[in-house]
Amino acid sequence: MNTLTTKPTVLLVDDEERILRSLSMLFRLQFKIHATTNPQQAIAIARSEPVHVVVSDQRMPQMLGADLLREIRAVSPNSMRLLLTGYSEYEAVVASINEGEVFRFIAKPWDAVELRSSVLQAAEIAMNLSEQAAVEPARAMTAAPAGVLVIDTDPATEQSVREIVGASRPVYGATSLDEGFECLARHDVAVLISELFVNGDALTGALQMLKAQHPEVVTLVLTSFRDVSTLVGLINGAQVYRFLPKPLRKGPLSMSLQSALNHRQTLHAQPRLAQRHAVQITPGEGDPSIARKVMSYLSRLRARGLGSS
């Protein structure tokens, strides 16, 4: 539903003029449009004026789209970012998560209704955040730091997290989805570090449902699983903050965990920013048994007055 009363600005970047014309036609009635084939010009535009949404192609001769979105994030952190590509490249998807922090990953050829809906949702979030920024006071930190939950059957993951975190905050370990839910129900969790498959359970659906209910929990995925469509689902449906391939490397894990904790602190101080992590709901997707476990966990939280309504 379009609730916008003024036209937001969308910046379109693609090395093909034909694609830019098609995208401009799609959005011209609802948006003020900038369209360019030059990534450097796109960065200059984002630096010089408010840009609510950036839609960039991935494969461009001057610069990859994921790299461009990273540069845009640096000069215009409030711009919502969408990556558009016709290639199922594992590295591009991982980069769009870890570097571009994209809102949506859109596959070419795009579905016009879906793309328009995603861009409009991004624009509404960007404009809402801009309006709320002037009135929302920063919330003070709670006395006790929120913890880190690790869901993984590999003990090396939890051990590495404990070594990184030290005594600064609690670390909770779980080797099953049920144990993970029990920790989430009993403790304040800032960051969730999860495998995608634990004891035969595929956790992708659970991560999506949890993010929809608890956008303030920052999620890192640490796995050897490399399926591109699953990663795209994790961007659009679970707003995963970082994706780290196994085998585990402690250096990248340490940097990603610290970044995630800083991001959670920002979300805690300014709850409005959680809107940036609104997820794409896909009805009927995922394992029904996992969905039942998630709903049971959420019901328990609501019964205790802790969950989202």
Side-chain angles (χ1 to χ4, degrees), residues 12-23 35-38 57 59-62 87 108 110:
L12 307 172
V13 191
D14 198 302
D15 61 308
E16 294 187 48
E17 292 280 2
R18 175 181 57 85
I19 299 293
L20 286 179
R21 286 196 297 272
S22 296
L23 291 172
T36 178
T37 59
N38 187 329
D57 184 32
R59 279 201 173 184
M60 297 180 288
Q62 308 98 321
Y87 300 90
K108 289 181 178 177
W110 61 79

Side-chain angles (χ1 to χ4, degrees), residues 6-124:
T6 58
K7 279 190 175 183
T9 298
V10 60
L11 172 58
L12 307 172
V13 191
D14 198 302
D15 61 308
E16 294 187 48
E17 292 280 2
R18 175 181 57 85
I19 299 293
L20 286 179
R21 286 196 297 272
S22 296
L23 291 172
S24 297
M25 289 284 290
L26 188 62
F27 297 119
R28 64 180 182 177
L29 295 180
Q30 293 172 295
F31 297 90
K32 174 185 175 183
I33 293 175
H34 291 292
T36 178
T37 59
N38 187 329
Q40 292 301 331
Q41 185 179 21
I43 295 170
I45 292 170
R47 183 183 286 117
S48 63
E49 66 174 279
V51 172
H52 298 95
V53 183
V54 182
V55 180
S56 175
D57 184 32
Q58 166 64 7
R59 279 201 173 184
M60 297 180 288
Q62 308 98 321
M63 181 184 291
L64 292 175
D67 293 335
L68 170 63
L69 295 182
R70 184 190 64 231
E71 298 290 331
I72 295 283
R73 181 164 63 93
V75 302
S76 180
N78 293 327
S79 298
M80 301 292 286
R81 300 171 293 275
L82 288 78
L83 190 66
L84 192 65
T85 181
Y87 300 90
S88 297
E89 300 170 284
Y90 173 81
E91 288 75 14
V93 178
V94 172
S96 69
I97 295 174
N98 294 345
E99 300 175 21
E101 294 181 7
V102 302
F103 178 65
R104 293 287 183 268
F105 190 100
I106 307 294
K108 289 181 178 177
W110 61 79
D111 178 287
V113 173
E114 180 183 350
L115 178 57
R116 188 187 292 113
S117 174
S118 294
V119 171
L120 186 57
Q121 183 185 18
E124 289 177 342

Side-chain angles (χ1 to χ4, degrees), residues 177-219:
L177 189 56
D178 289 333
E179 287 182 12
F181 287 156
E182 188 63 31
C183 285
L184 284 165
R186 294 174 57 190
H187 304 290
D188 184 14
V189 172
V191 175
L192 168 62
I193 300 175
S194 180
E195 248 288 3
L196 289 182
F197 293 91
V198 176
N199 291 327
D201 287 336
L203 268 59
T204 51
L207 294 177
Q208 293 175 7
M209 297 182 71
L210 287 171
K211 191 63 178 178
Q213 294 292 325
H214 299 284
E216 76 283 1
V217 176
V218 182
T219 306

